[in-house]
Amino acid sequence: MQRLQRKIDFYLNDWKKSEKRFPLIVKGARQIGKTEAILHFAKENYQSVVEINFVLQKQYKSIFDDGFEVDTILKNISLINPDFEFPDGNTLIFFDEIQDCINCATSLKAFMLDGRFDVICSGSLMGINYNEIESNSVGYKEDYEMYSLDFEEFLWAKGYKSEQIEDIYKKLLTVTPLSSVEYNVMLENFREYMVLGGMPAVVFSFVSQKNYSGTLKLQKQLLLDYEEDITKYAYGLDKGKILDVYRKIPVFLGKDNKKFQISKVRAGARNRDYVGTVEWLNDAGIINVCYCMSVPELPLKGNYAPDNYKIYYRDTGLLIASLDDEAQQDLRNNKNFNTYKGAIYENVVGDMLVKQGYNLYFYRNEKGTLEMDFFVRDSNSLIPVEVKSNDASTNSLNSLIEKNIYGDIKYGIKLANKNIGFNGKFYTIPYFLTFMLKRFLSEKSV
């Protein structure tokens, strides 16, 4: 079977075509396919690929000990492995797991100025001290953040062609309802995606076997791997407290308001004792944090309460895998995603928004009489996004759109198990088209 096609493939090809190629740092959570994608690109485009993994090949950490001149670095690499070749203009040097060798980032300026070799670095966000890497290579690198497969990549893995997906997008753009075949087939694909998530090993297993056999075992192992990595890489923080937060995420998502409260993580827990834990999990690419807006108005950044937030899993398949066995059986056998207080739908929508480059914000007033799941924006307005696990009423959405006090809000979006439509106040969009939302908002004319 062929490899999984990824969106980074197109990005890397464009990077290769650019006249002035900065050294590239591909960052992202563990086990999302960074190394595989880079090596596939490298072998397709270069005569020589010099791959160095600072975790598996610790002896290469010393290649920068004599300074950062390119020829000196190449000389030291060749001393360790004389089989490497460096033809000018046709060599890619791939530094993998750079979180284990911060000095590598300092060398990027020298490689950029030298110009003879292309350089790509990759690192796990869980291990990267990115502030240090940033300061060591500012102005001489390009960044790309990679995620687990989004729904479009999942459709590619299932064999769908870009033209078929584009046909569906055209209907969204023109606010034309999908046919019953289009709707039902895409909904079934999306239900598979919610159960599986986007971790490449899980998706590859599913599309290879054409069934779920073994996928839950893979997901549970990934959850354990993340816990192990937390104990390995959480420098300067109490690893036990990070694990406390990580393990309690499903508990809070199962509550009505889903607000995460440090005071309820364990008896006697105080916010000041957990400073940095949530941020670390977010920086590591394990969670998505959704902040409560102070008021529903623009700008989004800076207009939120830093201590009032929800936490979602970065990968919805891992959220489902973290639930108890009975919930697993219900979800997999009965496709009963309406259980668990709508958290699964919110989680997957949040993940799809983040993968389009959005930060996550919600709103809930003090009385709890007005609340909205997410907010995005277009060029001149704030857009409330309501996620409905059923076709319940949309009182908060109507209030935000209709009341004059919310001047930045012109219209809204309702994501539900409903076909494409527009009622003059808000667009109704099926959950499974959330991955098209940013493009739709920039191109729509209705």
Side-chain angles (χ1 to χ4, degrees):
M1 180 177 171
Q2 292 185 333
R3 64 180 288 270
L4 299 175
Q5 185 180 19
R6 305 299 303 275
K7 290 185 175 178
I8 192 176
D9 298 343
F10 304 105
Y11 181 90
L12 291 172
N13 286 329
D14 288 342
W15 175 79
K16 180 75 168 66
K17 292 173 186 174
S18 60
E19 289 185 16
K20 188 177 182 181
R21 284 186 295 283
F22 285 81
L24 179 64
I25 296 180
V26 178
K27 54 185 180 174
R30 298 184 72 77
Q31 303 185 60
I32 58 167
K34 299 185 297 295
T35 299
E36 190 278 335
I38 294 166
L39 286 177
H40 172 78
F41 159 78
K43 290 167 184 173
E44 293 277 316
N45 288 279
Y46 295 88
Q47 176 185 335
S48 178
V49 180
V50 177
E51 180 189 4
I52 292 171
N53 184 308
F54 291 115
V55 169
L56 300 179
Q57 302 165 301
K58 297 185 184 299
Q59 66 270 31
Y60 284 99
K61 290 184 182 182
S62 64
I63 62 176
F64 308 107
D65 288 355
D66 299 319
F68 297 99
E69 290 294 325
V70 170
D71 286 332
T72 303
I73 295 169
L74 300 189
K75 175 185 172 184
N76 287 338
I77 292 174
S78 297
L79 284 170
I80 297 171
N81 185 349
D83 291 334
F84 280 136
E85 296 180 353
F86 303 89
D88 289 4
N90 210 352
T91 297
L92 178 73
I93 301 174
F94 174 31
F95 293 121
D96 202 2
E97 304 286 8
I98 62 166
Q99 73 274 3
D100 271 44
C101 185
I102 297 298
N103 278 338
C104 181
T106 307
S107 73
L108 299 184
K109 178 179 180 180
F111 278 107
M112 175 64 197
L113 296 175
D114 181 274
R116 288 175 290 164
F117 311 102
D118 289 349
V119 178
I120 297 180
C121 303
S122 176
S124 162
L125 288 174
M126 189 172 282
I128 277 183
N129 182 345
Y130 201 73
N131 289 334
E132 192 169 350
I133 288 176
E134 177 74 26
S135 63
N136 284 1
S137 54
V138 62
Y140 296 96
K141 65 174 178 59
E142 184 175 328
D143 290 300
Y144 180 90
E145 184 163 358
M146 190 175 174
Y147 302 95
S148 63
L149 280 80
D150 68 11
F151 184 50
E152 185 171 19
E153 291 172 312
F154 178 76
L155 291 174
W156 294 343
K158 290 287 299 287
Y160 289 93
K161 304 294 187 289
S162 296
E163 295 78 18
Q164 293 172 294
I165 299 170
E166 187 67 16
D167 285 343
I168 291 175
Y169 174 71
K170 287 175 182 175
K171 288 197 170 182
L172 175 62
L173 186 60
T174 56
V175 196
T176 304
L178 302 176
S179 70
S180 59
V181 173
E182 288 171 326
Y183 193 97
N184 292 330
V185 169
M186 285 297 111
L187 180 60
E188 182 58 29
N189 282 316
F190 190 60
R191 286 169 171 166
E192 292 174 352
Y193 177 69
M194 284 197 287
V195 169
L196 293 163
M199 300 303 279
V202 178
V203 174
F204 190 82
S205 172
F206 177 77
V207 296
S208 300
Q209 301 180 123
K210 296 182 169 54
N211 61 55
Y212 291 102
S213 176
T215 56
L216 178 58
K217 182 178 180 181
L218 285 170
Q219 289 170 319
K220 286 188 176 295
Q221 186 58 53
L222 285 166
L223 289 169
L224 292 173
D225 289 346
Y226 275 176
E227 290 205 10
E228 182 180 334
D229 286 337
I230 287 169
T231 63
K232 180 179 178 182
Y233 285 113
Y235 307 118
L237 290 170
D238 187 319
K239 296 166 184 177
K241 288 185 169 64
I242 296 177
L243 287 171
D244 284 346
V245 172
Y246 175 63
R247 290 168 178 166
K248 285 294 194 302
I249 295 170
V251 175
F252 287 97
L253 287 179
K255 298 182 181 300
D256 283 324
N257 67 9
K258 301 177 182 62
K259 179 181 176 182
F260 198 92
Q261 295 174 280
I262 291 293
S263 60
K264 294 182 180 178
V265 166
R266 67 161 56 185
R270 298 172 296 182
N271 278 311
R272 66 172 178 267
D273 297 328
Y274 282 75
V275 170
T277 55
V278 173
E279 291 80 2
W280 189 91
L281 287 166
N282 186 52
D283 291 343
I286 299 173
I287 64 171
N288 290 321
V289 183
C290 184
Y291 290 100
C292 184
M293 297 179 68
S294 303
V295 287
E297 64 184 30
L298 294 173
L300 285 167
K301 288 187 177 179
N303 175 26
Y304 64 87
D307 294 327
N308 188 352
Y309 53 85
K310 303 176 186 179
I311 298 179
Y312 299 107
Y313 271 78
R314 185 69 65 97
D315 186 90
T316 303
L318 295 185
L319 166 62
I320 290 178
S322 72
L323 304 179
D324 57 52
D325 292 342
E326 291 75 19
Q328 285 283 337
Q329 187 174 358
D330 192 19
L331 287 162
R332 289 172 181 266
N333 296 344
N334 304 321
K335 298 183 173 65
N336 186 14
F337 296 100
N338 292 333
T339 59
Y340 209 59
K341 310 285 188 185
I344 293 169
Y345 286 107
E346 281 189 37
N347 199 98
V348 74
V349 167
D351 180 48
M352 294 168 95
L353 292 176
V354 167
K355 285 172 176 171
Q356 293 171 80
Y358 287 113
N359 295 313
L360 300 184
Y361 303 97
F362 75 101
Y363 180 71
R364 181 183 174 93
N365 65 10
E366 291 184 3
K367 296 179 181 178
T369 55
L370 182 67
E371 54 186 314
M372 186 51 50
D373 300 309
F374 299 105
F375 285 87
V376 295
R377 64 164 301 171
D378 60 16
S379 56
N380 59 11
S381 60
L382 180 67
I383 306 164
V385 179
E386 187 164 40
V387 181
K388 284 293 184 184
S389 58
N390 50 47
D391 193 28
S393 59
T394 54
N395 296 333
S396 290
L397 186 59
N398 285 324
S399 294
L400 287 167
I401 297 166
E402 293 169 358
K403 291 186 177 179
N404 293 330
I405 57 173
Y406 306 117
D408 289 332
I409 297 173
K410 312 289 194 304
Y411 64 95
I413 292 169
K414 178 181 177 180
L415 300 173
N417 187 7
K418 298 279 286 183
N419 216 323
I420 298 168
F422 183 63
N423 64 3
K425 294 187 294 185
F426 58 82
Y427 293 91
T428 302
I429 299 174
Y431 307 114
F432 51 78
L433 297 188
T434 303
F435 74 95
M436 298 176 170
L437 191 59
K438 192 161 194 173
R439 182 182 173 193
F440 169 70
L441 293 176
S442 67
E443 296 179 359
K444 68 176 174 58
S445 57
V446 177

